[in-house]
């Protein structure tokens, strides 16, 4: 019995890779296994190799695996492209249609199943996904009833006849492969899962659900990979709660519309990726200058320009923090798990209104799109805090304007929403006085700059960093953000097993940088590795800028478009420990 | 009920004496009073440029945003609070150059609001460069040998984009302008009002006298039918858009707010934001 397994399906984009993965993993989730998915795809809809990999485990995991146990291939390219990942004793289930072969030297077993032929016999080649997932399921020796229930739910809407046909496809796939293999494969028999109910979702789902729970009722956005799932979810759900998604003409309209509706009092968000964020920068400055709350999601992908639009990267960090011209207060939060994607979105709306600043929620492609198990989300943890909004405003008999930007100790002033009696004031991106009227007075300028920027010193965010495996004096401190957390955790366990005292820090609050929390950990550590998916070490620079200790900080960088593998984190960390400080550019070595 | 004086504030506009924008400001104030608004029920959202300052000169909720983006901001305001009367305004550079993309899509989207463009055919605040509305051959600081790019016809574009309300006026005709703004506010959907608003400092060609000589008031055109889109387009083309009055109105198309699924009569801003536990459980269950 094993406690974890990795499975991959590959084929041409558009031929059922996604749906095979979806139905197979949904059924596994029902059994209570922990799952972690990774999508390899290109910026096209039909054609081109694509593959989805999932890791199945009886205990929580948040990283892709180094190797592969089972590969399901719809074409020879999928075998050729992925065979190197197969471990010795692995299995390839391939469509007999293309007379599959496995590359010389691959110590795996090939089962050629007439996937297309069975599907066509049952009426349509579209059912390839059912035959393939049925075969996979059968090899693992898992109960077929659970799988059939998932099929029923997937196709229930299309009527019992369709459900029957799909279940038959699953049965035929299972039957065929079991005959070839002589029954379920003992070495792939998974220990039973804990049976605990878990959610199975991508980070973008969690963000969208978080927004809905936070009271976001308008989203204005422009489609872009890898952010679009957020708007697609809200397009389905917001109308049920009186709200709406506006698909705008561009990202500038998306952010400015969001600023308009936040100004008018409705929690509104937008979501995009690097190119969209670049377009939004001027407007983010307007939000900062006018102290208008707004939540912006940046699902980071490979840059610059169009870059690698469907690949992993964490290279927007500096742009998000410093992108606007001039100086504004702003919060940049970086969730590192599906659960955090949910709770941090709720918190982002609260922080935006509490401090009246733009809040950017920065994920990365792997966190946004990798489907994974998620603990149950706690309704009782959802708190909506609208901050300081004036409802009853007394009449000022002198006819003066409401002091929307009143100078206060906290730097935060009361908002009067349009429509409120006696609340009329002006709002402008021009430097302004307490009532919002333009002012070029040097004294006023200093007061207003200090008011706005002073908020940065007062921003309080609970748990700005996470620490795993805390040691009083670690030999090694590995620092990361976003989706790299699970990978670092896994490498950490490996390093610890060798007696290397290893701590792991995840930076959740990128801006304002949590110096007080980060500094002591760096001081105590003998060696520090900052691990990130970019070429210039942006997180490392941020730490150096805020914390110092330059000589201690080593960068491990990967920018080939793929997430770190646990083995890479392990080996690069070992290299730092043996060779001493130097920037490790992983991608060069791989090429 | 508020009078137009209550829409005044004590801010002295920084416009040049004689600027056409003064009348536009007065017309908005009069129209707001005439349709029965209280100052807090009006939101004026403006762009950047001389005319963009208008939101600061009217006693109402006002937001002076960034160049070219008055329309998306204003649409956001209206979606958040559909009880507000929302007027977006700015210059021809704001709406037809940097913001043209938003103008076309705001027209298509047809949210119930009014867009007033103060069209002076030049960039005033940056001291006299060409605008998309400048006539060919027009000499400016950026076109010392005369403009060579084709003059844009925003109202033709508006009709093509599916506008449901298109009007044009002249800042000297306060009565017509006020009436058109009232009609625009009362129109269900997006209303575009282009106003010839002469720049007395940098445009010595398209002057008050020049407009008086060259524009035709549609009220004087026999049998003109503003419900006829083909007639409207033909008239604009025949006259090189030198007409004033209500050019086109489609009273049958519903506004965005009345078409969008699930949108309620009660403004979003006053609705309860919280999900009930059972609503939340139902949403979460979809991920099991």
């Amino acid at each position: 019995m094993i406690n974890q397994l990795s499975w991959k399906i590959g084929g041409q984009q558009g031929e059922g890779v996604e749906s095979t993965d979806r139905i197979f993993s949904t059924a596994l989730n029902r059994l209570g296994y922990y799952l972690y998915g990774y999508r390899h795809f290109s910026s096209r809809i039909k054609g081109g190799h694509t593959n989805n990999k999932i890791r199945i485990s009886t205990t929580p995991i948040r990283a892709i695996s180094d190797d592969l146990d089972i590969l399901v291939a719809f074409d020879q390219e999928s075998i050729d492209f992925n065979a190197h990942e197969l471990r010795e004793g692995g299995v390839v289930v391939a469509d007999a249609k293309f007379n599959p072969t496995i590359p010389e030297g691959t110590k795996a077993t090939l089962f050629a199943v007439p996937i297309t032929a069975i599907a066509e016999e049952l009426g349509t080649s579209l059912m390839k996904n059912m035959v393939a997932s049925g075969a996979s399921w059968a090899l693992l020796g898992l109960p077929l009833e659970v799988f059939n229930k998932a099929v029923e739910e997937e196709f229930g809407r299309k009527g019992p006849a369709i459900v029957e046909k799909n279940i038959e496809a699953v049965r035929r796939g299972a039957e065929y492969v079991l005959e070839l293999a002589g029954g379920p494969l003992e070495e792939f028999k998974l220990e039973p899962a804990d049976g605990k109910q878990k959610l199975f979702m991508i980070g973008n789902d969690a963000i969208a659900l978080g927004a809905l729970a936070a009271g976001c009722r308008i989203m204005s956005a422009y489609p872009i990979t890898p952010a679009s799932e957020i708007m697609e979810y809200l397009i389905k759900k917001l109308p049920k709660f009186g709200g709406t998604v506006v698909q705008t003409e561009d990202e500038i309209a998306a952010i400015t519309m969001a600023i308009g509706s936040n100004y008018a009092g409705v929690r509104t968000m937008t979501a995009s990726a690097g190119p969209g964020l670049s377009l939004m920068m001027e407007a983010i400055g307007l939000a900062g200058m006018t102290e208008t709350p707004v939540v912006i999601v940046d699902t980071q992908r490979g840059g610059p320009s169009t870059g690698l639009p469907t690949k992993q990267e964490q290279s927007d960090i500096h742009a998000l923090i410093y992108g606007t011209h001039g100086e504004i207060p702003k919060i940049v939060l970086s969730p590192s798990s599906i659960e955090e994607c949910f709770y941090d979105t709720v918190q982002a709306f609260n922080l935006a209104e509490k401090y009246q600043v733009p809040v950017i929620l920065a994920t990365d492609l792997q966190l946004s799109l990798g489907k994974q198990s998620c603990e149950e989300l706690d309704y009782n943890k959802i708190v909506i805090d609208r901050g300081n909004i004036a409802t009853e405003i007394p009449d000022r008999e002198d006819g003066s304007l409401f002091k929307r930007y009143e100078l206060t100790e906290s730097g935060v002033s009361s908002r009067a929403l349009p429509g409120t009696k006696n609340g009329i004031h002006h709002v402008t991106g021009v430097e302004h006085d307490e009532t919002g009227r333009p002012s070029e007075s040097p004294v006023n300028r200093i007061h207003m700059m200090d008011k706005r920027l002073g908020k940065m010193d007062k921003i309080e965010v609970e748990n700005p960093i996470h620490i795993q495996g805390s040691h009083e004096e670690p030999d090694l401190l590995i620092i990361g953000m976003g989706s790299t957390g699970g990978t670092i955790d896994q490498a950490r366990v490996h390093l610890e097993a060798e007696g290397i005292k290893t701590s792991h820090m995840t930076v959740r609050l990128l801006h304002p940088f949590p110096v007080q929390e980060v500094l002591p950990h760096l001081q105590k550590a003998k060696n520090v590795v900052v691990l990130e998916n970019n070429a210039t070490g942006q997180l490392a620079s941020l730490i150096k800028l805020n914390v110092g200790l330059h000589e201690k900080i080593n960068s491990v960088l990967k920018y080939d478009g793929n997430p770190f593998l646990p083995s890479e984190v392990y080996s690069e960390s070992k290299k730092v420990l043996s060779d001493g400080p130097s920037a490790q550019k992983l991608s060069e070595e791989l090429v | 009920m508020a009078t137009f004086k209550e829409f005044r504030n004590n801010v002295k506009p920084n416009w040049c004496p004689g600027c056409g924008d003064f009348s536009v400001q007065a017309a908005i104030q009069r129209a707001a009073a005439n349709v029965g608004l209280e100052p807090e029920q009006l939101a004026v959202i403006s762009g950047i440029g001389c005319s963009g300052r208008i939101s600061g000169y009217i006693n109402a909720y006002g937001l002076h945003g960034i160049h070219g983006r008055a329309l998306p901001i204003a649409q956001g305001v209206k979606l958040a609070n559909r009880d507000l009367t929302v007027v977006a305004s700015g210059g021809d550079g704001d709406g037809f150059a940097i913001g043209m993309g938003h103008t076309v899509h705001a027209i298509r989207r047809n949210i119930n609001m009014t867009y007033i463009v103060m069209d002076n055919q030049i960039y005033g605040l940056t001291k006299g460069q060409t605008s998309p509305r400048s006539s060919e051959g027009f000499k400016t600081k950026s076109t010392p040998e005369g403009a060579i790019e084709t003059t844009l016809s925003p109202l033709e574009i508006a009709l093509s984009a599916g506008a449901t309300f298109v009007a044009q006026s002249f800042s000297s005709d306060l009565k017509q302008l006020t009436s058109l703004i009232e009609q625009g506010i009362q129109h269900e959907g997006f209303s575009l009002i282009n106003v010839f608003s002469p720049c007395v400092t940098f445009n010595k060609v398209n002057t008050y006298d020049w407009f008086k000589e060259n524009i035709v008031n549609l009220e004087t055109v026999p049998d003109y039918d503003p419900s006829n889109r083909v007639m409207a387009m033909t008239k604009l083309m025949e006259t090189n858009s030198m007409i004033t009055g209500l050019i086109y109105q489609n009273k049958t198309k519903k506004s965005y707010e009345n078409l969008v699924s699930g949108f309620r009569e009660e403004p979003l801003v006053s609705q309860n934001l919280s999900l009930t536990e059972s609503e939340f459980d139902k949403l979460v269950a979809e991920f099991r």
Side-chain angles (χ1 to χ4, degrees), chain A residues 196-232:
Chain A
K196 216 174 93 188
Q197 188 68 260
K198 282 175 265 296
L199 307 177
F200 185 47
M201 63 207 300
I202 60 173
N204 283 350
D205 292 331
I207 289 169
L209 182 61
L212 201 54
C216 171
R217 289 296 175 268
I218 300 177
M219 179 185 192
S220 45
Y222 188 81
I224 190 169
T225 302
S228 297
E229 293 78 8
I230 301 171
M231 75 185 284
E232 285 162 10

Side-chain angles (χ1 to χ4, degrees), chain A residues 217 249 379 420 427-428, chain B residues 61 64 109 273 275 286-287:
Chain A
R217 289 296 175 268
E249 53 274 22
Y379 176 77
T420 312
V427 174
T428 174
Chain B
Y61 279 91
H64 175 231
R109 203 166 283 130
L273 294 179
L275 299 180
E286 292 175 15
F287 294 103

Side-chain angles (χ1 to χ4, degrees), chain A residues 166-203:
Chain A
N166 280 285
I167 286 178
E168 178 62 10
V170 168
R171 196 191 62 75
R172 294 275 300 274
E175 191 181 76
Y176 199 98
V177 84
L178 288 182
E179 206 174 312
L180 283 180
L185 300 172
E186 276 308 310
E187 64 273 33
F188 290 151
K189 213 160 165 40
L190 279 160
E191 281 179 27
D194 63 8
K196 216 174 93 188
Q197 188 68 260
K198 282 175 265 296
L199 307 177
F200 185 47
M201 63 207 300
I202 60 173

Side-chain angles (χ1 to χ4, degrees), chain A residues 457-473:
Chain A
D457 300 329
K458 300 184 182 79
I459 286 167
E460 283 175 21
V461 178
E462 275 176 42
N463 304 319
I465 60 169
H466 301 308
I467 297 287
Q468 249 96 35
S470 183
H471 293 282
E472 195 45 52
E473 276 190 356

Side-chain angles (χ1 to χ4, degrees), chain A residues 542-563:
Chain A
L542 195 63
I543 295 170
K544 289 175 185 169
L545 174 72
N546 286 283
V547 178
L549 301 172
H550 293 223
E551 66 290 346
K552 230 185 217 185
I553 295 171
N554 302 276
S555 274
V556 172
L557 309 170
K558 185 174 181 181
Y559 48 94
D560 67 352
N562 296 302

